[in-house]
Amino acid sequence: MIIKNLIVNNFRVFRGVHEIDLAPRKQKDYHETAAPIILFGGLNGAGKTSILTAVRVALYGRAAFGRGMSSAEYQDQLDALIHKGVGLSEGKCSIELVFSHSQNGLESEYKVIRGWSKGQKDKLVLEQDSKKIELNYEQCQSFLNELIPSGIADLFFFDGEKIAELAEDESGEVLQTAVRRLLGIDVVERLRNDLAIFLKRHDASAMPTNIKTQIEKLETEQQKASQEAKAEANEAVLCKARVQLITDDIGKAEAALSQRGGAWAQSREQEIEKQNTLENERKDLEKTLRTEIEGSLPLSLSPNTLSKLFEQLDNEKSAKQSQSFNTELDSFMTELSKALSFRLTDAKTALDTIKDCLNERNINQNSTDLLLDISDREYNTVYSQANIQAKKSSSTFNVAKQQLAQVEEQIANLSSNIARAPEQEQLQSQLDIIKTLNNKRTNAILKLKETAESAKRKYREAIENARKIQKLHDKHKVAHNAEASLLNAQNAHLMLAEFSEKLTDIRVKQLEAEFIKSYKNLARKEDLKLSARINTKTFDVELIDDKQQTINRKALSAGEKQIYAIAILEALGKTSGKQLPIIIDTPLGRLDSKHRDKLISNYFPEASHQVIILSTDTEIDEKYFNCADFKYAISHAYEIQFDGATQSSKLKEGYFWKQQTKTVAEVN
């Protein structure tokens, strides 16, 4: 296949008609055959991806945007593709794609014309060798899908950054589909299925009448169960949609309630109850404060006065002790004087000396007036109150005071919230709406579960009937049949099973070898010790290091995943022998310099007979553009130039720094 021309009219950033020549050309003095690479350069937003999108939409229509897209979603996608530049009012768009394709050894030129207007379904016309193929829309699309299956084209027309997702596909489904289609294994499987249907029908015609009756009854029941299962499944989808709609309505109703103060109203009763609890706590704290004030707390408020008080009490205590001692001493001195007068001749001198000493002692003692004159028991009581009970009371008072401040602040906040909340009666209607919607949602969820379970039961019933039918077929197969066609079909069916298995093994080994070769050609030196192993059942590719350990592909960098995926694509193309062009958008965005060098020198020039590259100036720059291996493989190049004034782009032949005067055909 070779893409020859692409004509876009008011498509995305391209205003008016732009005809783009994509057929590979020969380079003078360099090639005997056409150079494969057609290079597009453009800054981000200029319209590079529009080229890739145009090819995919022209060929596949709705399938170009992925699986499971509804008609309405597809229409929205088409409307979004119509050019919306400055001063353009016509809401029409079209794509023409001209390509050559060989089928059964015959090459034909095909033209695909797909056009649409805003809000209207697209129209599809297909020409073969300049003659219109008389098919309706669905038939034209089916013809294109058979000509170039979308599952294959996805691996040849791709975004360089998104293709790395192939490395993350642990299921192997993408690769499995591609391998079966590209290597022809799916054809063998279809042939086996056709033969199985033929054999089953032949067996049925030779069965006894009663067995036929049982099978017909089971087939009727199976068909009925299958239809009911589909109906229940559809109903389950509707139930799920209803649940979502009701959920959305509940969200809107709750938002409306919140706007009317519902958030405050929902917590109003709780906050009133909490306020009452805090009021009781405040009363208890105030009682505690009053108790402490009435007790020993005041004593802690005058530490200086208390210090002087105890200083006076201590002095009075010492004075009273001295007075008591002096009284006892005077009584003793009288007795001593009498005793000395009898015993000593000069007793007077001794007594005078003693009295002088005592007088001197009395003079040196501090004289304190007894102002308070309290007992020792009273002194201890006062001391306990002032130094122990007063400190304890002060601590209790301060804690209670802090708690009271916090409680009063909380009460103030609660009062403010309660004041904001509307009365329950004002919101009752909105609350009733929410309650009704919640009940509806509960019923809808129950209905969804019931319908889903019913669908499962019907599916199981249909599967069970299919098993019974198969058992009856297996049990009553005709053992001896002279018809050559039946015998050949039976032998062919068995042979194809073996052939399919052996073909798969051979093809997978070829694919492994091509993948390893391609990967080593593109990988950096430090990665060259890696090998690969492909599972023949799942077709999943495993990278194996030099110690025969499987490498986790999730641990690969984005650039390494892209190299891995490109190696798979190149290996598939070479193993299948199919000649399809490659279109690659943003080919080098996530790659480091080593990987970029490898792709420029070893991949693009040899990837296919036609390689359309959509690049920025920072990917394929002047250095790579002038690289010998790459330069001589370039057929021709275009630069996509975006005009901010008209919000549209145009193409000029030549690359960023190598412009030519020729402009791509454009009709406004």
Side-chain angles (χ1 to χ4, degrees):
M1 175 184 176
I2 292 179
I3 300 174
K4 294 184 174 181
N5 274 293
L6 174 65
I7 304 172
V8 293
N9 178 21
N10 289 333
F11 182 80
R12 295 189 71 171
V13 296
F14 294 109
R15 179 192 186 103
V17 178
H18 296 257
E19 183 175 355
I20 309 170
D21 178 18
L22 296 175
R25 307 170 187 170
K26 291 183 180 180
Q27 279 201 38
K28 293 180 181 180
D29 304 327
Y30 294 139
H31 287 280
E32 294 180 2
T33 58
I37 296 176
I38 297 90
L39 178 62
F40 286 83
L43 302 179
N44 290 330
K48 300 185 302 299
T49 304
S50 298
I51 306 294
L52 173 60
T53 304
V55 173
R56 292 176 63 89
V57 172
L59 289 173
Y60 304 113
R62 184 187 303 185
F65 301 101
R67 300 178 182 176
M69 178 171 286
S70 66
S71 298
E73 291 171 332
Y74 177 47
Q75 188 62 57
D76 290 340
Q77 290 285 352
L78 290 179
D79 290 347
L81 295 177
I82 299 174
H83 179 65
K84 302 175 181 64
V86 176
L88 188 68
S89 59
E90 185 180 16
K92 292 184 179 180
C93 180
S94 66
I95 308 169
E96 293 183 24
L97 185 69
V98 180
F99 61 92
S100 61
H101 188 76
S102 296
Q103 204 171 19
N104 300 324
L106 297 176
E107 183 175 299
S108 299
E109 183 177 275
Y110 295 91
K111 179 187 282 189
V112 180
I113 306 170
R114 192 184 296 271
W116 63 93
S117 298
K118 187 173 182 179
Q120 296 182 10
K121 188 178 183 296
D122 58 322
K123 297 179 181 179
L124 180 60
V125 177
L126 186 60
E127 295 179 2
Q128 182 177 6
D129 296 327
S130 301
K131 294 181 181 179
K132 182 179 178 180
I133 302 176
E134 297 298 332
L135 299 172
N136 61 29
Y137 181 94
E138 286 74 17
Q139 291 170 335
C140 280
Q141 191 60 67
S142 297
F143 181 86
L144 286 172
N145 291 341
E146 291 174 5
L147 202 65
I148 313 168
S150 61
I152 292 176
D154 286 343
L155 302 178
F156 287 86
F157 309 152
F158 59 86
D159 184 320
E161 293 187 353
K162 292 182 180 178
I163 196 63
E165 295 173 1
L166 179 62
E168 300 171 355
D169 178 31
E170 296 183 353
S171 68
E173 180 181 354
V174 175
L175 192 59
Q176 185 178 37
T177 302
V179 170
R180 288 185 176 277
R181 287 180 174 176
L182 282 171
L183 306 186
I185 299 172
D186 62 327
V187 177
V188 179
E189 294 296 330
R190 286 201 302 270
L191 182 56
R192 283 193 66 212
N193 292 334
D194 292 342
L195 286 172
I197 293 171
F198 170 78
L199 290 170
K200 186 177 289 187
R201 288 175 179 172
H202 191 279
D203 290 345
S205 64
M207 286 180 181
T209 304
N210 63 324
I211 300 300
K212 285 184 183 180
T213 304
Q214 291 182 43
I215 290 177
E216 289 173 358
K217 181 181 178 182
L218 287 171
E219 286 178 341
T220 301
E221 292 176 354
Q222 180 197 14
Q223 186 177 9
K224 180 182 178 183
S226 181
Q227 291 174 348
E228 290 177 350
K230 289 180 180 178
E232 293 287 355
N234 292 335
E235 181 63 25
V237 172
L238 293 175
C239 287
K240 188 175 181 180
R242 291 191 196 103
V243 170
Q244 186 58 49
L245 288 173
I246 295 171
T247 302
D248 293 342
D249 289 341
I250 291 174
K252 293 176 183 177
E254 289 178 343
L257 180 65
S258 179
Q259 291 175 357
R260 295 175 58 185
W264 302 108
Q266 289 176 349
S267 60
R268 186 173 186 272
E269 296 301 323
Q270 295 176 352
E271 293 187 340
I272 290 175
E273 183 178 351
K274 188 175 181 180
Q275 186 186 42
N276 293 334
T277 302
L278 290 172
E279 287 288 354
N280 292 332
E281 186 176 348
R282 179 168 67 176
K283 291 178 181 178
D284 291 340
L285 290 170
E286 289 176 345
K287 182 178 179 181
T288 299
L289 293 176
R290 285 194 296 271
T291 300
E292 298 303 328
I293 291 172
E294 292 170 358
S296 301
L297 178 66
L299 294 176
S300 66
L301 302 178
S302 54
N304 294 332
T305 302
L306 283 176
S307 177
K308 293 179 179 178
L309 171 65
F310 282 107
E311 183 180 355
Q312 176 66 27
L313 290 175
D314 289 337
N315 290 335
E316 288 188 7
K317 187 175 181 181
S318 297
K320 286 193 290 186
Q321 289 176 348
S322 296
Q323 288 178 359
S324 176
F325 175 77
N326 290 335
T327 302
E328 291 292 330
L329 184 61
D330 288 342
S331 176
F332 173 74
M333 287 301 296
T334 302
E335 295 176 1
L336 179 62
S337 177
K338 290 179 180 181
L340 289 174
S341 62
F342 286 108
R343 297 180 184 182
L344 296 176
T345 56
D346 193 8
K348 184 177 182 302
T349 302
L351 288 172
D352 290 340
T353 301
I354 293 172
K355 287 180 180 180
D356 290 340
C357 291
L358 290 175
N359 290 333
E360 185 177 352
R361 176 180 176 276
N362 291 333
I363 291 171
N364 292 331
Q365 286 183 344
N366 293 328
S367 177
T368 301
D369 295 332
L370 298 180
L371 302 177
L372 301 175
D373 194 18
I374 63 174
S375 66
D376 288 346
R377 185 176 64 80
E378 290 173 332
Y379 175 89
N380 291 333
T381 301
V382 172
Y383 184 87
S384 175
Q385 284 183 333
N387 290 284
I388 299 175
Q389 295 180 20
K391 290 181 180 179
K392 182 178 179 182
S393 178
S394 177
S395 175
T396 303
F397 181 85
N398 289 333
V399 172
K401 181 181 176 183
Q402 291 178 357
Q403 291 178 347
L404 180 61
Q406 294 173 356
V407 168
E408 288 178 337
E409 183 179 358
Q410 293 178 29
I411 291 173
N413 292 335
L414 288 172
S415 299
S416 178
N417 293 343
I418 293 169
R420 290 192 188 102
E423 295 296 330
Q424 186 74 12
E425 293 77 8
Q426 297 175 348
L427 301 173
Q428 192 59 48
S429 60
Q430 194 69 22
L431 292 171
D432 291 340
I433 291 173
I434 294 174
K435 182 178 179 181
T436 302
L437 288 171
N438 278 320
N439 291 335
K440 286 178 65 177
R441 181 170 61 177
T442 301
N443 294 333
I445 292 172
L446 292 174
K447 179 65 174 177
L448 172 60
K449 291 181 178 179
E450 180 184 343
T451 307
E453 287 298 325
S454 177
K456 289 179 182 178
R457 286 196 300 272
K458 294 297 181 181
Y459 275 124
R460 286 195 292 266
E461 184 180 338
I463 292 170
E464 184 60 29
N465 285 331
R467 288 175 180 168
K468 290 179 180 178
I469 293 169
Q470 187 60 48
K471 284 182 179 179
L472 287 174
H473 277 292
D474 294 342
K475 185 177 180 180
H476 295 279
K477 278 185 178 178
V478 178
H480 302 285
N481 198 311
E483 294 183 15
S485 60
L486 176 62
L487 182 60
N488 290 338
Q490 291 172 334
N491 292 335
H493 189 264
L494 296 173
M495 181 187 68
L496 283 172
E498 184 179 356
F499 175 75
S500 177
E501 184 176 349
K502 290 185 177 180
L503 176 63
T504 301
D505 290 337
I506 293 170
R507 290 297 201 183
V508 164
K509 288 180 180 178
Q510 292 175 346
L511 188 60
E512 278 183 358
E514 290 292 346
F515 173 78
I516 294 171
K517 180 180 177 182
S518 177
Y519 187 79
K520 289 185 176 181
N521 202 31
L522 300 177
R524 298 169 299 196
K525 289 183 179 179
E526 56 266 31
D527 299 328
L528 295 182
K529 294 181 181 179
L530 299 180
S531 60
R533 180 172 59 227
I534 300 178
N535 189 312
T536 57
K537 302 298 182 185
T538 64
F539 295 92
D540 188 30
V541 181
E542 297 177 342
L543 287 177
I544 310 298
D545 62 17
D546 54 348
K547 297 180 181 179
Q548 299 303 306
Q549 298 294 320
T550 302
I551 296 173
N552 184 359
R553 294 204 303 270
K554 290 184 177 180
L556 298 177
S557 68
E560 289 170 335
K561 289 177 182 177
Q562 186 171 331
I563 292 295
Y564 167 89
I566 290 175
I568 291 176
L569 302 185
E570 186 177 18
L572 282 170
K574 291 182 177 179
T575 306
S576 68
K578 292 186 181 293
Q579 294 294 309
L580 285 176
I582 290 177
I583 306 176
I584 178 168
D585 186 15
T586 57
L588 307 177
R590 295 189 177 186
L591 303 180
D592 58 32
S593 59
K594 291 183 180 180
H595 280 141
R596 290 188 176 198
D597 293 344
K598 292 283 188 178
L599 252 67
I600 290 292
S601 299
N602 300 341
Y603 176 65
F604 293 136
E606 305 292 337
S608 179
H609 62 288
Q610 185 180 23
V611 182
I612 300 172
I613 302 175
L614 309 164
S615 171
T616 65
D617 59 339
T618 59
E619 292 180 278
I620 298 179
D621 55 17
E622 190 167 2
K623 168 195 167 185
Y624 287 137
F625 186 84
N626 292 316
C627 172
D629 292 332
F630 186 76
K631 178 180 180 180
Y632 298 148
I634 297 176
S635 165
H636 53 291
Y638 296 102
E639 182 185 351
I640 307 173
Q641 298 177 336
F642 181 75
D643 185 350
T646 61
Q647 293 294 298
S648 64
S649 293
K650 60 183 178 181
L651 294 98
K652 284 191 175 182
E653 193 160 337
Y655 207 54
F656 289 101
W657 47 85
K658 196 174 180 180
Q659 280 294 339
Q660 298 180 10
T661 56
K662 184 179 178 181
T663 303
V664 174
E666 178 182 350
V667 180
N668 291 319

